Amino acid sequence: AQTVTQSQPEMSVQEAETVTLSCTYDTSESDYYLFWYKQPPSRQMILVIRQEAYKQQNATENRFSVNFQKAAKSFSLKISDSQLGDAAMYFCAYSWVYNQGGKLIFGQGTELSVKP
Amino acid sequence: EAGVTQFPSHSVIEKGQTVTLRCDPISGHDNLYWYRRVMGKEIKFLLHFVKESKQDESGMPNNRFLAERTGGTYSTLKVQPAELEDSGVYFCASSRIGQTNTEAFFGQGTRLTVV
């Protein structure tokens, strides 16, 4: 069975600095999708970034980038130039390639606080 | 375009009572998913509708949970009778069917507290 593990329940970063959130996963599939979702307090969860496993190039979205290590089954999220609005719960998630973005397996979440 | 909307945002009920959660997906999204996050743990998949049909209900915890999506539009998730361990945040998500652009959009969740 597929599993996703986020070993950092809480992280903190100074505004304008860089922070990396960790995520590891387990699967026997060779092709799949990985995601990072952000849930601000009392607000909807939104997709931050998506990585397709067959693509070797790490995905990037503005200040957000991932370090995808397929052999190590690691998928970390780097947030550069952290802003106060980045404070949120971050969830790492996995989905099967035939159901991309649909049925998701989530990690436990990492709560990120940003200090001014 | 309106996002995924969930009602109510909070619900506090006593053990043994019934609660019905509602999810209105984004218009045109045939896929609808229910998830649940119990305090401090991971978000777990409950079930998946394609239009009005249950595609996958492997995550439903037991027969006290009943999900419906009559007409393939909004969905309800009823818990009857509620138990203490049902407390958590229930999320709904919707997405299009297709090969591309099938990102799942989430609602803000319903926080259910059973006392």
Side-chain angles (χ1 to χ4, degrees), chain B residues 5 9 11-12 32-33 56 58 60 64 66 81 88 99 101 114:
Chain B
T5 308
S9 56
S11 180
V12 180
L32 188 148
Y33 303 85
D56 180 355
S58 61
M60 294 289 265
R64 295 186 294 102
L66 175 64
Q99 295 299 316
N101 194 26
V114 183

Side-chain angles (χ1 to χ4, degrees), chain B residues 6-20:
Chain B
Q6 293 187 244
F7 304 95
S9 56
H10 294 86
S11 180
V12 180
I13 61 170
E14 293 184 350
K15 176 182 173 181
Q17 289 187 321
T18 297
V19 62
T20 300

Side-chain angles (χ1 to χ4, degrees), chain A:
Chain A
Q2 284 75 9
T3 59
V4 176
T5 303
Q6 293 177 251
S7 58
Q8 305 156 316
E10 299 175 348
M11 290 283 285
S12 180
V13 63
Q14 204 72 33
E15 195 176 7
E17 305 253 310
T18 296
V19 64
T20 299
L21 308 184
S22 301
C23 173
T24 58
Y25 61 95
D26 191 25
T27 183
S28 57
E29 305 286 330
S30 60
D31 212 2
Y32 45 87
Y33 289 87
L34 295 166
F35 307 84
W36 277 98
Y37 280 89
K38 168 187 176 182
Q39 187 184 22
S42 302
R43 295 183 62 183
Q44 291 163 313
M45 190 151 50
I46 58 173
L47 178 64
V48 174
I49 200 164
R50 165 170 47 196
Q51 175 78 43
E52 298 166 70
Y54 67 89
K55 289 186 176 179
Q56 293 185 345
Q57 187 173 7
N58 289 324
T60 299
E61 287 289 343
N62 301 313
R63 296 182 296 107
F64 298 86
S65 62
V66 297
N67 183 5
F68 174 48
Q69 301 288 328
K70 192 173 184 179
K73 294 181 181 175
S74 171
F75 183 61
S76 60
L77 175 70
K78 185 171 81 171
I79 306 174
S80 303
D81 185 26
S82 297
Q83 301 176 0
L84 295 178
D86 295 332
M89 183 71 77
Y90 286 81
F91 293 98
C92 179
Y94 167 104
S95 82
W96 291 259
V97 69
Y98 61 81
N99 192 19
Q100 56 156 318
K103 180 179 177 179
L104 296 161
I105 306 298
F106 285 93
Q108 300 89 334
T110 297
E111 186 165 12
L112 177 68
S113 58
V114 181
K115 298 178 180 178

Side-chain angles (χ1 to χ4, degrees), chain B residues 8-49:
Chain B
S9 56
H10 294 86
S11 180
V12 180
I13 61 170
E14 293 184 350
K15 176 182 173 181
Q17 289 187 321
T18 297
V19 62
T20 300
L21 314 181
R22 171 169 169 151
C23 169
D24 285 51
I26 292 173
S27 178
H29 282 194
D30 289 331
N31 287 315
L32 188 148
Y33 303 85
W34 283 99
Y35 292 87
R36 174 175 75 172
R37 186 181 190 218
V38 173
M39 180 67 72
K41 297 193 175 180
E42 71 271 24
I43 300 171
K44 283 194 171 180
F45 167 82
L46 296 179
L47 88 159
H48 170 208
F49 283 100

Side-chain angles (χ1 to χ4, degrees), chain A residues 39 43-44, chain B residues 6 8-10 89-92 107-111:
Chain A
Q39 187 184 22
R43 295 183 62 183
Q44 291 163 313
Chain B
Q6 293 187 244
S9 56
H10 294 86
V89 181
Y90 290 76
F91 294 99
C92 175
Q108 81 280 14
T110 293
R111 181 175 295 278

